[in-house]
Structures are given as structure tokens and as C-alpha cells.
């Protein structure tokens, strides 16, 4: 199974919105509504930000939202803040009862 | 509050076996649903290694399946990872996590760096 495809980097200014894409196949993203997104700051463990495509865990800001169309999922962060600068990883359930991650996207807040 | 903590040797010799344990507190490991391991090579992305249910049923990353074993010890409220025949490519930070039935991981350990070197 190949990793999900994410852009290596995105950037935005404070207050702006950015979107990170995550492309898979009909065996993972396209087949299940089991896409999740994680935020990782340097030296820290990943933190769950979005699950089941568009749901936010308790305590996660509503500035974070998720969606999916076909084999591609997206994470949108609105009202960018300096603390949002981090690496973001998508993940999906697969038809082999496994999970797969994207390569990660580094978000820079200008 | 569910907390997970990895433990094990930080240095393993090539061709030997990597063994890690994840202690779970604040939650009964028997309640599952699944317990998993994810690793991250230096400067790289996340790689799902596999997960195991409280009953011991496991699913593994196909690329690692031949070398991986996961198990659960409900009496000690911890679960374990064994990776055989390690090489330098297995050098990574290893995270343990609770995996839900929806396949996302909602609680993570802090991670443990394992270096494979002679």
C-alpha cells in the first residue's frame, strides 16, 4: 500500500484560510468515511484534529474542518494563527483492515 | 484521562529484535477497541505498523507483516510490539496509540526513539 499524497508544504498569513489536500485511492479514502487528520508540533506526538472525515474531537477549535470528495480528502484551517504552524498528516482506513498515512504537510504561518 | 507510555531499549543492534511495551493508565485495556503502533523515521512521515484487539487479534502493515508481532497483556494493562531482524531503516520514534473502530487514533504516547546501530 502506498502512502496517501499530500503537498509537502503550504503557507498562509495570520487570519487567512488554507486547505491541505490528501489524495488516496478507491481502496482507502474513496471507499470509507474513515479519514482522520493529525497535527504535530516539533518533538511532540501527533494530535487528533479531525476524525471520520469531518468530526472534531472535544477541545479542537472549530477553525479546523474536514471534507471529502471521491478519493481526495481536505483539511481547512480558517483564521490562521501562529500556533497552527505545524506538520499535518492525513490517514485513512483501507480495504485490507489497515490504516495508511499521508506523507505530511508542513504549514508555515507567514 | 487515558494515558499511554512507551518503554524499551533505545538502542538495538542490526539483525536483532526490537521489543517495546506500552503501559496504559486511566483506562482498561480490555475495553479496547484496538491498540496500535505507529513509527516516524527521523525527518519523515508517519508509518502505521499495526494494531491489536484486547483478545489478541492483530492486523499489520503488509510491508512489515513478516517481522512484526503485537500482543496484549490485560493483567498488566499493557500491550507490546516485537520487530525482528531490524536494520538501520527501522530507526524511528515509535508511538503507541489507542485505535478506535473508526480507525483513527485518539490517544497517543509521547514516543520513544529507537536507534538501530552496532
Amino acid at each position: 500500500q502506498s502512502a496517501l499524497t499530500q503537498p509537502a508544504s503550504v503557507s498562509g498569513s495570520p487570519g487567512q484560510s488554507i486547505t491541505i489536500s490528501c489524495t488516496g485511492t478507491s481502496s482507502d479514502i474513496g471507499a470509507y468515511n474513515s479519514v482522520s487528520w493529525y497535527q504535530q508540533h516539533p518533538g511532540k506526538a501527533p494530535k487528533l484534529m479531525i476524525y471520520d472525515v469531518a468530526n472534531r474531537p472535544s477541545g479542537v477549535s472549530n477553525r479546523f474542518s474536514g471534507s471529502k470528495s471521491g478519493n481526495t480528502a481536505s483539511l481547512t484551517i480558517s483564521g490562521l494563527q501562529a500556533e497552527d504552524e505545524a506538520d499535518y498528516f492525513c490517514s485513512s482506513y483501507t480495504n485490507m483492515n489497515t490504516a495508511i498515512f499521508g506523507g505530511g504537510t508542513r504549514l508555515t504561518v507567514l | 484521562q487515558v494515558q499511554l507510555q512507551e518503554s524499551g531499549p533505545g538502542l538495538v543492534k542490526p539483525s536483532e529484535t526490537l521489543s517495546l511495551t506500552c503501559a496504559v493508565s486511566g483506562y482498561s485495556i480490555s475495553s479496547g477497541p484496538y491498540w496500535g503502533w505507529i513509527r516516524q523515521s527521523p525527518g519523515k512521515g508517519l508509518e502505521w505498523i499495526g494494531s491489536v484487539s484486547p483478545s489478541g487479534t492483530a492486523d499489520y502493515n503488509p510491508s512489515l507483516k513478516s517481522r512484526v508481532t503485537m500482543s496484549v497483556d490485560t493483567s498488566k494493562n499493557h500491550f507490546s510490539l516485537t520487530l525482528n531482524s531490524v536494520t538501520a531503516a527501522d530507526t524511528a520514534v515509535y508511538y503507541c496509540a489507542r485505535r478506535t473502530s473508526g480507525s483513527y487514533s485518539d490517544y497517543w504516547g509521547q514516543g520513544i526513539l529507537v536507534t538501530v546501530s552496532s
Side-chain angles (χ1 to χ4, degrees):
Chain A
Q1 51 184 19
S2 299
L4 305 174
T5 301
Q6 298 181 235
S9 63
V10 298
S11 63
S13 299
Q16 289 186 331
S17 294
I18 63 95
T19 297
I20 300 171
S21 62
C22 172
T23 301
T25 69
S26 58
S27 297
D28 38 67
I29 291 178
Y32 307 97
N33 288 323
S34 296
V35 177
S36 50
W37 290 89
Y38 302 87
Q39 176 192 65
Q40 186 180 37
H41 286 109
K44 300 294 187 181
K47 174 187 176 184
L48 179 68
M49 304 301 285
I50 295 288
Y51 67 93
D52 293 347
V53 176
N55 295 292
R56 279 188 311 276
S58 174
V60 172
S61 171
N62 60 8
R63 296 185 298 105
F64 292 82
S65 62
S67 63
K68 188 189 90 166
S69 178
N71 296 338
T72 298
S74 299
L75 172 71
T76 297
I77 308 173
S78 59
L80 267 181
Q81 299 179 0
E83 68 213 48
D84 299 332
E85 185 162 292
D87 293 327
Y88 291 85
F89 296 90
C90 61
S91 180
S92 176
Y93 181 72
T94 81
N95 63 356
M96 294 187 288
N97 197 31
T98 61
I100 189 170
F101 285 97
T105 297
R106 176 149 298 175
L107 169 62
T108 301
V109 180
L110 302 171
Chain B
Q1 176 75 347
V2 182
Q3 292 186 313
L4 295 89
Q5 178 68 60
E6 305 89 349
S7 62
L11 181 65
V12 181
K13 289 183 168 55
S15 79
E16 296 191 344
T17 297
L18 179 160
S19 295
L20 298 174
T21 296
C22 181
V24 179
S25 59
Y27 186 84
S28 172
I29 202 169
S30 298
S31 299
Y34 302 97
W35 302 96
W37 293 92
I38 300 103
R39 70 181 184 179
Q40 186 171 33
S41 300
K44 300 289 182 60
L46 301 170
E47 180 178 29
W48 187 81
I49 301 173
S51 61
V52 60
S53 71
S55 64
T57 302
D59 294 292
Y60 302 130
N61 185 324
S63 67
L64 298 170
K65 189 173 183 177
S66 63
R67 299 194 291 131
V68 174
T69 303
M70 294 181 185
S71 61
V72 173
D73 188 332
T74 55
S75 67
K76 295 182 179 178
N77 219 46
H78 75 203
F79 61 104
S80 300
L81 166 71
T82 298
L83 181 65
N84 300 322
S85 305
V86 298
T87 69
D90 295 310
T91 293
V93 174
Y94 286 75
Y95 295 99
C96 61
R98 187 179 79 165
R99 174 190 165 189
T100 70
S101 54
S103 201
Y104 56 90
S105 296
D106 53 358
Y107 292 98
W108 295 63
Q110 65 184 26
I112 182 170
L113 174 62
V114 179
T115 301
V116 178
S117 175
S118 55

